[in-house]
Amino acid sequence: QVQLVESGGGLVQAGGSLRLSCAASGRTFSIDYMGWFRQAPGKEREFVATINWNSGGTYYAATAKGRFTTSRDNAKNTGYLQMNSLKPEDTAVYYCGATKGFRIRTLEKEYDYWGQGTQVTVSS
C-alpha cells in the first residue's frame, strides 16, 4: 500500500503561484509514476501532469504546459506541482495519484493510490 498526502493549496489571485506537495509513504518503492489531476465542481477529474518517479521524465496536459511544472524529491518521497500564472479556471480540488507501470499514465483509472485532495481557488 502507498499513502499519499497533499498540501499547499489555498486562495491566490489570478497571475499568482502555488506549489502543491504530495508526500508518499508505505511501499514507495512500488511507485513508477506520480500524477496530478484536478476536479472542478460539476466536472470530471482531469489529468494535469505526471512524472516518472525514477527518471524524472514529465508529461503535461495542454492546459498545464508552460505554466505548471511537476518534480519530485526521491529522498523525501515527495512530489511537487509548481503552478504559475494561475487563472480562475484553474480553480479545483487537486489530487495526486501513484501507480506502477512502464508507460505514461494519463487516465484516472490507471492510478492505484490517491491522496485526499487539496483545494486551489484562483480569484479574478
Side-chain angles (χ1 to χ4, degrees), residues 12-65:
V12 64
Q13 288 188 331
S17 299
L18 281 175
R19 188 177 81 155
L20 307 183
S21 299
C22 178
S25 61
R27 299 170 63 88
T28 57
F29 59 85
S30 67
I31 298 175
D32 290 316
Y33 282 92
M34 177 175 282
W36 291 90
F37 289 71
R38 66 187 184 185
Q39 187 167 19
K43 295 188 177 181
E44 295 185 351
R45 193 172 297 190
E46 66 172 359
F47 170 75
V48 176
T50 191
I51 185 166
N52 184 297
W53 201 246
N54 301 302
S55 71
T58 57
Y59 182 78
Y60 298 90
T63 54
K65 199 173 295 184

Short mmCIF file of all heavy atoms in Angstrom, two decimals, residues 12-65:
data_model
loop_
_atom_site.label_atom_id
_atom_site.label_comp_id
_atom_site.label_asym_id
_atom_site.label_seq_id
_atom_site.Cartn_x
_atom_site.Cartn_y
_atom_site.Cartn_z
N VAL A 12 -5.49 32.21 -4.13
CA VAL A 12 -4.49 33.06 -4.76
C VAL A 12 -5.17 33.90 -5.83
O VAL A 12 -6.18 33.49 -6.41
CB VAL A 12 -3.36 32.20 -5.36
CG1 VAL A 12 -3.87 31.31 -6.47
CG2 VAL A 12 -2.19 33.05 -5.82
N GLN A 13 -4.63 35.07 -6.08
CA GLN A 13 -5.17 35.91 -7.14
C GLN A 13 -4.69 35.44 -8.50
O GLN A 13 -3.63 34.80 -8.62
CB GLN A 13 -4.75 37.37 -6.92
CG GLN A 13 -5.44 38.04 -5.75
CD GLN A 13 -5.16 39.52 -5.69
OE1 GLN A 13 -4.10 39.97 -6.11
NE2 GLN A 13 -6.10 40.29 -5.16
N ALA A 14 -5.46 35.76 -9.52
CA ALA A 14 -5.07 35.42 -10.88
C ALA A 14 -3.68 35.98 -11.17
O ALA A 14 -3.36 37.12 -10.80
CB ALA A 14 -6.08 35.97 -11.86
N GLY A 15 -2.87 35.16 -11.83
CA GLY A 15 -1.50 35.53 -12.11
C GLY A 15 -0.51 35.09 -11.05
O GLY A 15 0.71 35.16 -11.26
N GLY A 16 -1.02 34.64 -9.92
CA GLY A 16 -0.16 34.20 -8.83
C GLY A 16 0.32 32.78 -8.99
O GLY A 16 0.08 32.13 -10.02
N SER A 17 1.01 32.30 -7.96
CA SER A 17 1.62 30.97 -7.99
C SER A 17 1.31 30.21 -6.72
O SER A 17 1.08 30.80 -5.66
CB SER A 17 3.15 31.08 -8.14
OG SER A 17 3.51 31.74 -9.33
N LEU A 18 1.31 28.89 -6.83
CA LEU A 18 1.19 27.99 -5.69
C LEU A 18 2.05 26.78 -5.98
O LEU A 18 2.23 26.39 -7.14
CB LEU A 18 -0.25 27.53 -5.47
CG LEU A 18 -1.23 28.46 -4.77
CD1 LEU A 18 -2.62 27.83 -4.78
CD2 LEU A 18 -0.79 28.76 -3.34
N ARG A 19 2.57 26.16 -4.92
CA ARG A 19 3.27 24.89 -5.07
C ARG A 19 2.58 23.85 -4.21
O ARG A 19 2.49 24.01 -2.99
CB ARG A 19 4.74 24.99 -4.67
CG ARG A 19 5.50 23.72 -5.03
CD ARG A 19 6.97 23.79 -4.71
NE ARG A 19 7.27 23.54 -3.30
CZ ARG A 19 8.42 23.09 -2.85
NH1 ARG A 19 9.41 22.83 -3.70
NH2 ARG A 19 8.62 22.91 -1.56
N LEU A 20 2.11 22.81 -4.86
CA LEU A 20 1.49 21.69 -4.16
C LEU A 20 2.53 20.63 -3.89
O LEU A 20 3.45 20.42 -4.69
CB LEU A 20 0.35 21.10 -5.00
CG LEU A 20 -0.71 22.08 -5.49
CD1 LEU A 20 -1.80 21.31 -6.24
CD2 LEU A 20 -1.30 22.87 -4.34
N SER A 21 2.36 19.95 -2.77
CA SER A 21 3.24 18.84 -2.40
C SER A 21 2.41 17.59 -2.23
O SER A 21 1.24 17.65 -1.84
CB SER A 21 3.98 19.14 -1.10
OG SER A 21 4.79 20.29 -1.22
N CYS A 22 3.03 16.46 -2.50
CA CYS A 22 2.38 15.16 -2.31
C CYS A 22 3.40 14.24 -1.64
O CYS A 22 4.35 13.79 -2.29
CB CYS A 22 1.93 14.59 -3.64
SG CYS A 22 1.16 12.96 -3.52
N ALA A 23 3.20 14.00 -0.36
CA ALA A 23 4.12 13.16 0.41
C ALA A 23 3.66 11.72 0.36
O ALA A 23 2.50 11.42 0.70
CB ALA A 23 4.19 13.66 1.84
N ALA A 24 4.54 10.84 -0.06
CA ALA A 24 4.23 9.42 -0.17
C ALA A 24 4.85 8.66 0.98
O ALA A 24 5.96 8.96 1.43
CB ALA A 24 4.74 8.87 -1.50
N SER A 25 4.14 7.64 1.45
CA SER A 25 4.66 6.75 2.49
C SER A 25 4.18 5.34 2.21
O SER A 25 3.32 5.12 1.37
CB SER A 25 4.23 7.22 3.88
OG SER A 25 2.82 7.23 3.98
N GLY A 26 4.74 4.40 2.95
CA GLY A 26 4.40 2.99 2.73
C GLY A 26 5.34 2.37 1.70
O GLY A 26 6.54 2.60 1.74
N ARG A 27 4.79 1.63 0.77
CA ARG A 27 5.59 0.92 -0.24
C ARG A 27 5.97 1.84 -1.38
O ARG A 27 5.61 1.62 -2.55
CB ARG A 27 4.82 -0.30 -0.74
CG ARG A 27 4.50 -1.31 0.36
CD ARG A 27 3.54 -2.38 -0.11
NE ARG A 27 4.07 -3.21 -1.18
CZ ARG A 27 4.78 -4.31 -1.00
NH1 ARG A 27 5.04 -4.73 0.23
NH2 ARG A 27 5.21 -5.01 -2.03
N THR A 28 6.73 2.86 -1.06
CA THR A 28 7.07 3.87 -2.07
C THR A 28 7.96 3.32 -3.17
O THR A 28 8.01 3.89 -4.27
CB THR A 28 7.75 5.08 -1.41
OG1 THR A 28 8.91 4.64 -0.71
CG2 THR A 28 6.80 5.78 -0.44
N PHE A 29 8.65 2.22 -2.91
CA PHE A 29 9.49 1.61 -3.94
C PHE A 29 8.65 1.10 -5.10
O PHE A 29 9.17 0.83 -6.18
CB PHE A 29 10.32 0.47 -3.36
CG PHE A 29 9.50 -0.64 -2.75
CD1 PHE A 29 9.00 -1.67 -3.54
CD2 PHE A 29 9.21 -0.66 -1.40
CE1 PHE A 29 8.24 -2.68 -3.00
CE2 PHE A 29 8.45 -1.66 -0.85
CZ PHE A 29 7.97 -2.68 -1.65
N SER A 30 7.35 0.96 -4.89
CA SER A 30 6.48 0.44 -5.95
C SER A 30 5.95 1.55 -6.86
O SER A 30 5.26 1.27 -7.84
CB SER A 30 5.30 -0.32 -5.34
OG SER A 30 4.44 0.57 -4.63
N ILE A 31 6.29 2.79 -6.57
CA ILE A 31 5.80 3.91 -7.40
C ILE A 31 6.65 4.04 -8.66
O ILE A 31 7.87 4.15 -8.59
CB ILE A 31 5.83 5.24 -6.63
CG1 ILE A 31 4.91 5.17 -5.42
CG2 ILE A 31 5.43 6.39 -7.55
CD1 ILE A 31 4.99 6.41 -4.53
N ASP A 32 6.01 4.03 -9.82
CA ASP A 32 6.68 4.32 -11.08
C ASP A 32 6.29 5.71 -11.60
O ASP A 32 7.10 6.40 -12.22
CB ASP A 32 6.35 3.27 -12.12
CG ASP A 32 6.99 1.93 -11.81
OD1 ASP A 32 8.18 1.93 -11.42
OD2 ASP A 32 6.33 0.89 -11.94
N TYR A 33 5.04 6.07 -11.41
CA TYR A 33 4.57 7.38 -11.84
C TYR A 33 3.78 8.03 -10.73
O TYR A 33 2.99 7.37 -10.04
CB TYR A 33 3.69 7.29 -13.09
CG TYR A 33 4.45 7.09 -14.36
CD1 TYR A 33 4.72 5.82 -14.85
CD2 TYR A 33 4.92 8.19 -15.08
CE1 TYR A 33 5.44 5.65 -16.01
CE2 TYR A 33 5.64 8.02 -16.25
CZ TYR A 33 5.89 6.75 -16.71
OH TYR A 33 6.62 6.59 -17.87
N MET A 34 3.97 9.34 -10.57
CA MET A 34 3.10 10.15 -9.72
C MET A 34 2.41 11.16 -10.62
O MET A 34 3.07 11.89 -11.38
CB MET A 34 3.87 10.88 -8.61
CG MET A 34 2.97 11.77 -7.76
SD MET A 34 3.81 12.53 -6.37
CE MET A 34 3.85 11.14 -5.22
N GLY A 35 1.10 11.15 -10.56
CA GLY A 35 0.33 12.04 -11.42
C GLY A 35 -0.44 13.08 -10.63
O GLY A 35 -0.71 12.90 -9.44
N TRP A 36 -0.77 14.15 -11.28
CA TRP A 36 -1.60 15.21 -10.71
C TRP A 36 -2.86 15.36 -11.55
O TRP A 36 -2.79 15.44 -12.79
CB TRP A 36 -0.84 16.53 -10.66
CG TRP A 36 0.28 16.54 -9.69
CD1 TRP A 36 1.59 16.19 -9.93
CD2 TRP A 36 0.21 16.87 -8.30
NE1 TRP A 36 2.33 16.30 -8.78
CE2 TRP A 36 1.51 16.72 -7.77
CE3 TRP A 36 -0.81 17.29 -7.46
CZ2 TRP A 36 1.81 16.98 -6.43
CZ3 TRP A 36 -0.50 17.55 -6.13
CH2 TRP A 36 0.78 17.39 -5.63
N PHE A 37 -3.99 15.37 -10.87
CA PHE A 37 -5.28 15.54 -11.50
C PHE A 37 -6.01 16.66 -10.78
O PHE A 37 -5.64 17.05 -9.66
CB PHE A 37 -6.11 14.25 -11.41
CG PHE A 37 -5.61 13.14 -12.28
CD1 PHE A 37 -4.43 12.47 -11.99
CD2 PHE A 37 -6.32 12.75 -13.40
CE1 PHE A 37 -3.96 11.45 -12.79
CE2 PHE A 37 -5.87 11.71 -14.21
CZ PHE A 37 -4.69 11.07 -13.90
N ARG A 38 -7.07 17.16 -11.39
CA ARG A 38 -7.89 18.16 -10.71
C ARG A 38 -9.36 17.94 -11.06
O ARG A 38 -9.68 17.38 -12.11
CB ARG A 38 -7.46 19.57 -11.09
CG ARG A 38 -7.71 19.95 -12.56
CD ARG A 38 -7.09 21.30 -12.85
NE ARG A 38 -7.38 21.73 -14.20
CZ ARG A 38 -6.88 22.84 -14.75
NH1 ARG A 38 -6.05 23.62 -14.06
NH2 ARG A 38 -7.20 23.16 -15.99
N GLN A 39 -10.21 18.39 -10.15
CA GLN A 39 -11.64 18.24 -10.35
C GLN A 39 -12.34 19.51 -9.92
O GLN A 39 -12.30 19.88 -8.73
CB GLN A 39 -12.18 17.04 -9.59
CG GLN A 39 -13.63 16.73 -9.90
CD GLN A 39 -14.05 15.36 -9.39
OE1 GLN A 39 -13.41 14.77 -8.52
NE2 GLN A 39 -15.12 14.83 -9.95
N ALA A 40 -12.95 20.18 -10.88
CA ALA A 40 -13.73 21.38 -10.60
C ALA A 40 -15.18 20.98 -10.31
O ALA A 40 -15.61 19.89 -10.72
CB ALA A 40 -13.68 22.33 -11.79
N PRO A 41 -15.93 21.81 -9.61
CA PRO A 41 -17.32 21.47 -9.30
C PRO A 41 -18.13 21.16 -10.54
O PRO A 41 -18.09 21.91 -11.52
CB PRO A 41 -17.83 22.74 -8.61
CG PRO A 41 -16.62 23.39 -8.05
CD PRO A 41 -15.52 23.09 -9.01
N GLY A 42 -18.82 20.03 -10.52
CA GLY A 42 -19.67 19.64 -11.63
C GLY A 42 -18.94 19.06 -12.82
O GLY A 42 -19.55 18.79 -13.85
N LYS A 43 -17.63 18.88 -12.68
CA LYS A 43 -16.84 18.34 -13.79
C LYS A 43 -16.14 17.06 -13.38
O LYS A 43 -15.99 16.77 -12.20
CB LYS A 43 -15.82 19.38 -14.26
CG LYS A 43 -16.42 20.63 -14.87
CD LYS A 43 -15.36 21.52 -15.47
CE LYS A 43 -15.97 22.73 -16.15
NZ LYS A 43 -14.93 23.58 -16.78
N GLU A 44 -15.70 16.31 -14.39
CA GLU A 44 -14.95 15.10 -14.12
C GLU A 44 -13.51 15.43 -13.74
O GLU A 44 -12.99 16.50 -14.08
CB GLU A 44 -14.97 14.19 -15.36
CG GLU A 44 -16.35 13.67 -15.71
CD GLU A 44 -16.31 12.67 -16.86
OE1 GLU A 44 -15.25 12.52 -17.47
OE2 GLU A 44 -17.35 12.06 -17.13
N ARG A 45 -12.89 14.49 -13.06
CA ARG A 45 -11.48 14.65 -12.72
C ARG A 45 -10.66 14.60 -14.01
O ARG A 45 -10.85 13.71 -14.84
CB ARG A 45 -11.05 13.54 -11.76
CG ARG A 45 -9.71 13.77 -11.11
CD ARG A 45 -9.43 12.73 -10.03
NE ARG A 45 -10.38 12.79 -8.93
CZ ARG A 45 -10.22 12.11 -7.80
NH1 ARG A 45 -9.13 11.36 -7.62
NH2 ARG A 45 -11.13 12.19 -6.85
N GLU A 46 -9.74 15.57 -14.15
CA GLU A 46 -8.96 15.64 -15.39
C GLU A 46 -7.47 15.60 -15.09
O GLU A 46 -7.00 16.08 -14.06
CB GLU A 46 -9.29 16.91 -16.18
CG GLU A 46 -8.91 18.20 -15.51
CD GLU A 46 -9.09 19.41 -16.43
OE1 GLU A 46 -9.49 19.24 -17.60
OE2 GLU A 46 -8.82 20.53 -15.97
N PHE A 47 -6.74 15.05 -16.03
CA PHE A 47 -5.30 14.91 -15.93
C PHE A 47 -4.62 16.28 -16.05
O PHE A 47 -5.03 17.11 -16.89
CB PHE A 47 -4.80 13.99 -17.03
CG PHE A 47 -3.32 13.96 -17.19
CD1 PHE A 47 -2.52 13.27 -16.29
CD2 PHE A 47 -2.71 14.61 -18.26
CE1 PHE A 47 -1.16 13.24 -16.44
CE2 PHE A 47 -1.35 14.58 -18.42
CZ PHE A 47 -0.56 13.89 -17.51
N VAL A 48 -3.58 16.48 -15.23
CA VAL A 48 -2.82 17.72 -15.28
C VAL A 48 -1.37 17.46 -15.69
O VAL A 48 -0.85 18.06 -16.63
CB VAL A 48 -2.84 18.45 -13.92
CG1 VAL A 48 -1.96 19.68 -13.95
CG2 VAL A 48 -4.27 18.82 -13.53
N ALA A 49 -0.72 16.55 -14.98
CA ALA A 49 0.70 16.28 -15.23
C ALA A 49 1.08 14.96 -14.58
O ALA A 49 0.40 14.49 -13.66
CB ALA A 49 1.57 17.40 -14.67
N THR A 50 2.18 14.38 -15.05
CA THR A 50 2.70 13.18 -14.43
C THR A 50 4.22 13.17 -14.53
O THR A 50 4.80 13.81 -15.42
CB THR A 50 2.09 11.92 -15.06
OG1 THR A 50 2.43 10.78 -14.27
CG2 THR A 50 2.61 11.70 -16.48
N ILE A 51 4.85 12.46 -13.59
CA ILE A 51 6.29 12.38 -13.57
C ILE A 51 6.71 10.94 -13.32
O ILE A 51 6.11 10.24 -12.49
CB ILE A 51 6.89 13.32 -12.51
CG1 ILE A 51 8.42 13.32 -12.56
CG2 ILE A 51 6.40 12.99 -11.10
CD1 ILE A 51 9.07 14.45 -11.79
N ASN A 52 7.72 10.50 -14.06
CA ASN A 52 8.32 9.19 -13.82
C ASN A 52 9.15 9.28 -12.55
O ASN A 52 10.08 10.09 -12.48
CB ASN A 52 9.18 8.79 -15.02
CG ASN A 52 9.76 7.40 -14.87
OD1 ASN A 52 10.53 7.13 -13.96
ND2 ASN A 52 9.37 6.51 -15.76
N TRP A 53 8.79 8.46 -11.57
CA TRP A 53 9.41 8.57 -10.26
C TRP A 53 10.90 8.27 -10.28
O TRP A 53 11.66 8.76 -9.45
CB TRP A 53 8.70 7.63 -9.30
CG TRP A 53 8.85 7.94 -7.85
CD1 TRP A 53 9.49 7.20 -6.91
CD2 TRP A 53 8.34 9.09 -7.17
NE1 TRP A 53 9.41 7.82 -5.68
CE2 TRP A 53 8.72 8.98 -5.82
CE3 TRP A 53 7.61 10.21 -7.57
CZ2 TRP A 53 8.37 9.94 -4.87
CZ3 TRP A 53 7.28 11.17 -6.63
CH2 TRP A 53 7.66 11.02 -5.30
N ASN A 54 11.34 7.46 -11.24
CA ASN A 54 12.74 7.07 -11.30
C ASN A 54 13.57 7.98 -12.19
O ASN A 54 14.62 8.46 -11.80
CB ASN A 54 12.83 5.63 -11.78
CG ASN A 54 12.09 4.69 -10.86
OD1 ASN A 54 12.38 4.61 -9.67
ND2 ASN A 54 11.11 3.96 -11.39
N SER A 55 13.08 8.24 -13.42
CA SER A 55 13.87 9.02 -14.37
C SER A 55 13.64 10.52 -14.26
O SER A 55 14.46 11.31 -14.70
CB SER A 55 13.55 8.58 -15.80
OG SER A 55 12.24 9.00 -16.17
N GLY A 56 12.48 10.90 -13.72
CA GLY A 56 12.14 12.32 -13.66
C GLY A 56 11.48 12.85 -14.92
O GLY A 56 11.18 14.04 -15.02
N GLY A 57 11.27 11.98 -15.89
CA GLY A 57 10.60 12.41 -17.10
C GLY A 57 9.19 12.88 -16.82
O GLY A 57 8.51 12.33 -15.97
N THR A 58 8.74 13.90 -17.54
CA THR A 58 7.44 14.50 -17.26
C THR A 58 6.57 14.57 -18.51
O THR A 58 7.05 14.52 -19.65
CB THR A 58 7.60 15.92 -16.70
OG1 THR A 58 8.35 16.72 -17.63
CG2 THR A 58 8.32 15.92 -15.36
N TYR A 59 5.27 14.70 -18.26
CA TYR A 59 4.31 14.85 -19.35
C TYR A 59 3.17 15.71 -18.82
O TYR A 59 2.74 15.53 -17.68
CB TYR A 59 3.78 13.50 -19.80
CG TYR A 59 2.81 13.58 -20.95
CD1 TYR A 59 3.27 13.77 -22.25
CD2 TYR A 59 1.44 13.47 -20.74
CE1 TYR A 59 2.38 13.85 -23.31
CE2 TYR A 59 0.55 13.55 -21.78
CZ TYR A 59 1.02 13.75 -23.07
OH TYR A 59 0.14 13.84 -24.11
N TYR A 60 2.70 16.65 -19.65
CA TYR A 60 1.70 17.61 -19.21
C TYR A 60 0.48 17.63 -20.12
O TYR A 60 0.58 17.43 -21.33
CB TYR A 60 2.30 19.02 -19.18
CG TYR A 60 3.45 19.17 -18.22
CD1 TYR A 60 4.76 18.94 -18.64
CD2 TYR A 60 3.23 19.53 -16.90
CE1 TYR A 60 5.82 19.07 -17.76
CE2 TYR A 60 4.29 19.66 -16.01
CZ TYR A 60 5.58 19.43 -16.45
OH TYR A 60 6.62 19.56 -15.57
N ALA A 61 -0.66 17.95 -19.52
CA ALA A 61 -1.84 18.26 -20.30
C ALA A 61 -1.62 19.60 -20.98
O ALA A 61 -0.83 20.44 -20.50
CB ALA A 61 -3.07 18.31 -19.40
N ALA A 62 -2.33 19.83 -22.06
CA ALA A 62 -2.17 21.07 -22.81
C ALA A 62 -2.46 22.29 -21.93
O ALA A 62 -1.83 23.34 -22.06
CB ALA A 62 -3.07 21.05 -24.03
N THR A 63 -3.43 22.15 -21.03
CA THR A 63 -3.81 23.28 -20.18
C THR A 63 -2.73 23.63 -19.16
O THR A 63 -2.73 24.74 -18.62
CB THR A 63 -5.11 22.97 -19.44
OG1 THR A 63 -4.94 21.73 -18.72
CG2 THR A 63 -6.28 22.84 -20.39
N ALA A 64 -1.82 22.69 -18.91
CA ALA A 64 -0.78 22.91 -17.90
C ALA A 64 0.57 23.26 -18.51
O ALA A 64 1.41 23.88 -17.85
CB ALA A 64 -0.63 21.67 -17.04
N LYS A 65 0.78 22.88 -19.73
CA LYS A 65 2.09 23.04 -20.36
C LYS A 65 2.49 24.51 -20.41
O LYS A 65 1.71 25.37 -20.82
CB LYS A 65 2.05 22.45 -21.77
CG LYS A 65 3.40 22.15 -22.37
CD LYS A 65 3.24 21.41 -23.69
CE LYS A 65 2.64 20.05 -23.48
NZ LYS A 65 2.57 19.28 -24.75
#
